[in-house]
Amino acid sequence: METGKPIIGITMGDASGIGPEVILKALAGRRSWQANFLIIGDSQILEKTKSRFKLPVLFRVINRYQDLDFSSYRSNLLDLGLLTGAKFKTGISNAVCGRSSMMYIREAVRLAEEKKIDGLVTAPISKEAFYLAGFPFRGHTELLARLTKTRNFVMMLVGGGLRVSLVTTHIPLKKVASSLTSRGIYQTIKLTGNFLKRRLNISSPRIGVSGLNPHSGEGGVIGREEIELIKPAVKKAKKEGLKAAGPVPADVIFWQARKNKFDAIVAMYHDQGLIALKMLAFNKGVNITLGLPFVRTSPGHGTAFDIAGKGLADPDSMIEAIKMAVLLAEQK
């Protein structure tokens, strides 16, 4: 077995979506990644996808981790065999694929916690399929936190020259204000600063913290969350030596970051942070989970059921997610 290179695990995601396709497209060709890859999924699905779209990617199929061997191929596939003989329609949420995608993640987490892989890239899952299979999780981020018993974690998206951390993630918009706490905002600032320092080698990161309300509340006229929650969190972060600034109005902060005023932005809710980022990097955004005991990235898109099975999926975001996982794994 070739040694010296990090091993990056890649979960197959929902087999009804574009996960298998973008994984194989990303791994095809002569890319310069200094890493080996362990795909965790089902050989039946990946072999079918490879054949259907004539993708020039080679991988060794294994049934247990102990058989891992990179001497001939850069990629191994740990075949869990969960979908052998299963019947389902591509492009439609279903319990069978929801359950199997959960099991891929569980196995990957086990391998990561046992230090058998050096980083994890997760292909998209379907939240609806999770629910159909009886798993009430809003997304990968929350699931990974639960599986690893991680209390303080942050969802960060990177792309288009922006790094955006979210205080709240997959919750209804009407619940955002009541879900915000000064402690939660502070923890997001802190985890973001630690990540920039330790993983990206930014010695003194500058973190811009967005307001929640228009014009950051106009001194309390349009809302008091900035005064009662955000300012105290920023003040505490500053006391601990972090270069945090805010609250900055959300319609200004992204322009400032693009002008190199900030190394990262802390946004209060999902769409506040990700509309700007996806406008700049829709096909190349990368999701990173901060606070986990191992490196985890994923493409910044979903299962794309509308184009699944048609050969139209763009692998750029998966390519960027793999690049980032390799980079972060090398920074250990």
Short mmCIF file of all heavy atoms in Angstrom, two decimals, residues 39 83 240:
data_model
loop_
_atom_site.label_atom_id
_atom_site.label_comp_id
_atom_site.label_asym_id
_atom_site.label_seq_id
_atom_site.Cartn_x
_atom_site.Cartn_y
_atom_site.Cartn_z
N ILE A 39 -14.10 5.60 -1.21
CA ILE A 39 -15.52 5.85 -1.41
C ILE A 39 -16.29 4.87 -0.54
O ILE A 39 -15.98 3.68 -0.50
CB ILE A 39 -15.93 5.67 -2.89
CG1 ILE A 39 -15.03 6.50 -3.81
CG2 ILE A 39 -17.40 6.06 -3.08
CD1 ILE A 39 -15.18 6.15 -5.28
N LEU A 83 -27.74 -1.60 -1.30
CA LEU A 83 -28.73 -1.42 -2.36
C LEU A 83 -28.71 -2.54 -3.39
O LEU A 83 -29.34 -2.42 -4.44
CB LEU A 83 -28.51 -0.07 -3.05
CG LEU A 83 -28.73 1.16 -2.16
CD1 LEU A 83 -28.35 2.44 -2.90
CD2 LEU A 83 -30.17 1.23 -1.68
N GLU A 240 -11.23 38.37 24.01
CA GLU A 240 -10.41 37.17 23.93
C GLU A 240 -9.37 37.26 22.82
O GLU A 240 -8.73 36.27 22.48
CB GLU A 240 -11.30 35.94 23.74
CG GLU A 240 -12.19 35.68 24.94
CD GLU A 240 -12.87 34.33 24.90
OE1 GLU A 240 -12.62 33.56 23.95
OE2 GLU A 240 -13.64 34.05 25.81
#
